[in-house]
């Protein structure tokens, strides 16, 4: 009996120290570093938060001083990262006078690079097209698009298809109901990923909308992924991809700084909101999910585990009216539709 009691005391002490230490380490590395470990912790950070919260309550009820370590870790998380669950009671309904923006990584119509899906591409493209037409957003952003023709969407007279002769990039598209007066690219070197932008004349206001597709890992996570051979080959690829993502983020931020006007940054960042990349891009901007979203806001599921990889980040001259997530399963990502009001008095 004494052995059982001693073992229990030791385990309780270990748990009270190790679990908060893991959360503290995760908070620090995800905030300041982009590598394999920061990627892993950016994925599991919500689990560590929930576990720390549960144990904090348990140790409080046990009147144990070890609750201090768990509480400290939770406070550090709240000071360094956004929360992963939101519930908004005042998410307003869609109004025609608002600017609506929809972003969607459509995975080439549902089958890009995935042979087993290609037989379903035509019906998926039809379903995707119907979905876009039914939502009737003012601006639509596609990442990993299929070859959209300028007359594919009748409601959008202004189309920017990011296809250039002699340049091989994953196709991105911007559809707009309002005039596109200027377009451009932010070319990421040595990758198919890219970013593009369109300056849209929204009534008497010029708005630059960035369509961003940051570095992906180009790998399928299945049962074979967790074999020793697979993990050994994946490790260096992830490290390289993380470094590329950091460089791409800097190129994006430099372009935004050079524009100095009203802007919205949106698209597939291929990173969670607990990463250094997200923190860098979202700094000084609003996150529509945090303001008006509900639930976990997942736009991508890793073996059923929800992650938020897609974002709409308007600058502070906009008021966020609504944020909506969808569960469609026509791509590996899910779309986001937001409603914004333009504050015309802002510079």
């Amino acid at each position: 009996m004494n052995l059982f009691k001693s073992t229990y005391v030791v385990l309780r002490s270990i748990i009270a120290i190790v679990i908060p230490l893991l959360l503290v380490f995760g908070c620090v590395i995800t905030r300041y570093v982009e590598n394999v470990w920061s990627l892993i912790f950016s994925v599991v950070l919500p689990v560590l938060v929930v576990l720390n919260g549960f144990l904090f309550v348990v140790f409080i009820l046990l009147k144990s001083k070890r609750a201090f370590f768990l509480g400290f870790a939770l406070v550090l998380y709240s000071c360094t990262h956004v929360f992963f669950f939101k519930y908004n009671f005042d998410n307003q309904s869609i109004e025609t006078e608002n600017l609506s923006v929809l972003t969607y990584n459509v995975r080439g119509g549902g089958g890009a690079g995935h042979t087993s899906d290609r037989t379903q591409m035509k019906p998926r493209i039809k379903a995707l097209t119907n979905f876009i037409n039914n939502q009737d957003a003012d601006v639509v952003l596609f990442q990993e698009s299929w070859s959209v023709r300028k007359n594919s969407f009748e409601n959008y007279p202004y189309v920017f298809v990011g296809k250039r002769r002699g340049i091989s990039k994953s196709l991105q598209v911007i559809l707009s109901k309002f005039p596109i007066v200027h377009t451009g690219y932010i070319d990421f070197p040595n990758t198919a990923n890219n970013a593009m932008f369109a300056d849209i004349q929204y009534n008497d206001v010029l708005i630059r909308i960035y369509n961003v597709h940051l570095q992906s890992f180009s790998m399928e996570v299945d049962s074979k992924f967790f074999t020793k051979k697979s993990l050994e080959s994946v490790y260096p690829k992830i490290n390289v991809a993380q470094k590329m993502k950091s460089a791409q983020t800097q190129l994006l931020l430099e372009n935004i700084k050079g524009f100095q006007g009203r802007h919205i940054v949106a698209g597939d960042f291929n990173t969670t909101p607990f990463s250094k990349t997200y923190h860098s891009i979202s700094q000084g901007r609003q996150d529509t999910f945090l303001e008006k979203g509900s639930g976990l806001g997942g736009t991508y599921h890793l073996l059923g585990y929800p992650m938020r990889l897609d974002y709409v980040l308007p600058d502070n001259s906009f008021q966020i009216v609504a944020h909506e997530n969808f569960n469609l399963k026509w791509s590996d990502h899910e779309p986001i539709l937001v409603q914004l009001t333009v504050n015309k008095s802002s510079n």
Side-chain angles (χ1 to χ4, degrees):
M1 194 67 180
N2 289 334
L3 178 62
F4 175 80
K5 185 177 180 180
S6 299
T7 303
Y8 167 74
V9 171
V10 171
L11 284 175
R12 194 173 75 176
S13 300
I14 292 174
I15 289 172
I17 295 173
V18 172
I19 299 301
L21 277 178
L22 284 173
L23 180 56
V24 169
F25 179 75
C27 288
V28 173
I29 194 171
T30 54
R31 180 66 181 269
Y32 298 106
V33 181
E34 286 285 16
N35 59 21
V36 174
W37 287 108
S38 66
L39 173 65
I40 293 172
F41 274 94
S42 74
V43 173
V44 302
L45 214 58
V47 177
L48 289 174
V49 171
V50 172
L51 188 55
N52 270 265
F54 172 75
L55 292 174
F56 177 74
V57 173
V58 170
F59 279 97
I60 285 291
L61 294 175
L62 292 174
K63 298 180 180 180
S64 172
K65 294 180 180 178
R66 295 184 179 92
F68 170 80
F69 300 106
L70 295 156
F72 172 79
L74 291 170
V75 170
L76 179 65
Y77 169 81
S78 66
C79 293
T80 57
H81 290 75
V82 300
F83 202 58
F84 53 86
F85 183 86
K86 297 291 293 185
Y87 191 81
N88 286 291
F89 294 95
D90 61 342
N91 200 17
Q92 300 177 34
S93 59
I94 295 173
E95 301 291 345
T96 55
E97 61 266 24
N98 296 325
L99 174 66
S100 54
V101 179
L102 188 150
T103 179
Y104 196 177
N105 182 324
V106 292
R107 197 191 188 189
H114 304 270
T115 306
S116 60
D117 290 343
R118 288 174 186 170
T119 57
Q120 299 298 316
M121 282 184 64
K122 286 187 177 180
R124 284 186 179 183
I125 288 175
K126 183 178 180 181
L128 288 165
T129 302
N130 290 337
F131 168 75
I132 297 300
N133 287 330
N134 289 336
Q135 294 305 315
D136 199 32
D138 295 318
V139 180
V140 177
L141 312 178
F142 287 148
Q143 303 88 44
E144 292 192 78
S145 180
W146 68 91
S147 297
V148 173
R149 297 179 180 178
K150 291 193 174 182
N151 59 352
S152 297
F153 295 90
E154 295 181 356
N155 294 338
Y156 299 94
Y158 307 99
V159 180
F160 177 28
V161 179
K163 192 172 184 179
R164 292 170 288 172
R165 183 175 297 178
I167 298 178
S168 179
K169 294 287 184 180
S170 174
L171 186 62
Q172 292 173 261
V173 175
I174 298 178
L175 310 174
S176 176
K177 292 183 178 180
F178 298 95
I180 296 176
V181 298
H182 178 65
T183 61
Y185 297 91
I186 306 172
D187 284 322
F188 302 149
N190 306 314
T191 180
N193 293 76
N194 210 35
M196 61 193 296
F197 62 84
D199 294 342
I200 294 174
Q201 191 67 48
Y202 176 67
N203 299 326
D204 58 344
V205 177
L206 185 68
I207 302 171
R208 173 166 291 188
I209 299 184
Y210 289 90
N211 185 4
V212 180
H213 186 206
L214 293 180
Q215 190 64 35
S216 53
F217 299 104
S218 301
M219 62 185 71
E220 284 294 297
V221 179
D222 52 24
S223 58
K224 296 180 181 179
F225 178 83
F226 297 98
T227 63
K228 182 180 179 181
K229 183 178 180 181
S230 176
L231 291 174
E232 287 176 349
S233 65
V234 162
Y235 183 93
K237 292 180 181 178
I238 293 177
N239 241 349
V240 171
Q242 290 287 81
K243 291 177 181 179
M244 292 175 70
K245 196 176 297 178
S246 289
Q248 293 166 6
T249 299
Q250 291 307 309
L251 290 173
L252 172 65
L253 293 176
E254 286 172 11
N255 186 282
I256 296 172
K257 185 178 180 181
F259 176 63
Q260 296 183 339
R262 299 174 192 264
H263 63 273
I264 301 168
V265 184
D268 173 12
F269 294 2
N270 273 312
T271 193
T272 74
F274 317 110
S275 64
K276 178 184 175 184
T277 293
Y278 168 84
H279 177 74
S280 298
I281 300 175
S282 63
Q283 196 167 17
R285 295 172 189 85
Q286 305 175 83
D287 186 325
T288 58
F289 170 75
L290 297 180
E291 296 295 328
K292 294 294 180 177
S294 291
L296 295 171
T299 62
Y300 181 91
H301 288 77
L302 180 67
L303 301 178
Y305 182 77
M307 297 190 296
R308 191 160 70 99
L309 304 184
D310 303 78
Y311 307 87
V312 179
L313 309 177
D315 68 44
N316 292 318
S317 67
F318 296 89
Q319 179 184 348
I320 300 170
V321 178
H323 173 108
E324 185 175 2
N325 287 81
F326 296 85
N327 185 19
L328 303 178
K329 306 302 181 187
W330 294 330
S331 171
D332 54 344
H333 287 251
E334 301 293 357
I336 298 171
L337 175 64
V338 305
Q339 304 288 328
L340 307 169
T341 297
V342 181
N343 184 355
K344 294 184 179 181
S345 63
S346 298
N347 293 326

